[in-house]
Each structure stands twice: as structure tokens, then as C-alpha cells.
Amino acid sequence: MSTMQFTTSAPRLAYTVTEPRNGQTPRRTFLLSHALGCDVTMWDALVAHLYADNRVVCYDQRGHGRSEAPAGPYTMAQLADDAARLIDELNLGAVTWIGLSMGGMIGQELVLRHPAKVQALVLANTTSFYPDEARVGWDQRIATIAQGGLASIVDGAMLRWFHDGFRAEQPEVVAYWKQRVLACDQAGYIACCQAIRDVDTTARLGSVAVPALVIAGELDLGTPPAMARAIAHHIPGAQLAILPHASHLSVLEQPQAFIQTLEQWLASH
């Protein structure tokens, strides 16, 4: 796999570029955008699959991994502009975007703000809007972190990210992701929570003019299938797929089903 590099523009973003294994011109350029509290390693299995004949770019969002964490709060527009800046700096052209959770929210805002930079859109385990009670929940989470640090919310995050069976069968995976959350910049994490709380793209999704695949996890409590249905309903021609036995981090819980769903959709576009 490729080595970590950094943007020259600020805030500096850490990223990897994996060129096609076959040495040919890339069939597509994928840009992969992770969930809150995660980093580029969330995509390792997917990158290993996609780079056979594609260029695959992954990046750590601001406040995560090895990217910088400027003072918050952040907005989803800022996070989308970070992605646009990365696309420009690497001269990627129009990308096929794959974003999960926060990465899916960023993808929606990116295609709305910078439509020429997105060729196709994959939105997994995400939402276009939170109702008031969920927004209050985000405020409570922010207050809890401010008082008790990331350790105060990490166990609850693991319960939402992975279902009981997965946690029992793959405790080492859960332990790894727990450490990734704890390694985040606390202020950057809070600033991203503020951007997520205020996500609101639903009314604008009708203007999306690229092929879109919306993936949900059957067991996802954080962004349940109803939220995916709403996105798919508002994006013209979007396809909806609900993965069985998957909760929030579906690409980690059901990697083969995720890849198969993605490949079937790509083949039709």
C-alpha cells in the first residue's frame, strides 16, 4: 500500500494514493471519506479490492488521524471544501466518491458545492438531516466529551458501530477502532460533531445530477435505513441497498457484501 502524504494547503490533510496494480491508466479515481472517529485504515479492505484497475485516494479528515485540527466549530461546507481542495491539489479530475457516515454527509455537500468534481456518488450509513431530538443528542455528546474526554463516549460508539455478534466474534477489530477514536484530537472531534449535528442537505438533493448509490445497514441505529431511504428518494435515479447483518460501520462488518453491492452498481454505470 502507499505511504502517507500531506497537502501543502491548510489545514494540512494526510492522504494516501494507491495507483492501479495492473499499471494501466485508471478506470476510475475513487476518493474515500471515513466516518467520525475513524481514519484512512477504515478502507483497507476496500482499497485492496478497488486498486486492481483503479486509482484509490483516502484521506484523514481534519481533526482525525494525521491531519491537522484547526480550531472549530466546523461546518459541513468547510469539510466539503477540504475534499475539493484535495481533489484540486492532486489534480484528480472528477472522482467517484465513497463516503460513510460523516464521509457520506461530506459527499452530499461536495457534489452540491462542487458538482464538476464528482463523477459518481456512494453514500453509506449516512443522513441528510437530523431531527431536533437527534440534534439535542449531538449537543449532549459534545458536552459529555468536553467534560470527560473521548473516553467518556467511546464505549457507546462501539455499541452503535458494531452489533453484538460482531463484537463477540471480532473483539480485536473493536479494540482497534476504540483506540482510533481515543487517538483523535478532542477539539477536532467536537468540531466535527458540530458539523454533523447541523447537516441539512435534503431540500437540495434534487439537483444532484450524477449516479448515486445509497447503502444502509439493516441494524444501523445511528443512521437507520429510513435515513438512507430519504436520501435515495430525493436524489434523482439513486439506487438504495440495505445490507443485512450490518450496523453502522457496514464496510467493516460486511466487507464482502459492501464490495459486491458496490461492484454490481458500478457495472451498471
Side-chain angles (χ1 to χ4, degrees), residues 18-21 26-28 30 50-56:
T18 308
E19 295 293 348
R21 187 171 52 218
R27 196 159 55 99
R28 287 176 182 260
F30 288 93
L50 289 175
Y51 92 104
D53 56 357
N54 300 287
R55 177 187 293 120
V56 188

Side-chain angles (χ1 to χ4, degrees), residues 188-209:
Y189 187 101
I190 286 174
C192 284
C193 288
Q194 291 165 320
I196 291 169
R197 176 197 63 200
D198 297 337
V199 67
D200 187 8
T201 56
T202 313
R204 292 176 283 150
L205 292 176
S207 68
V208 174

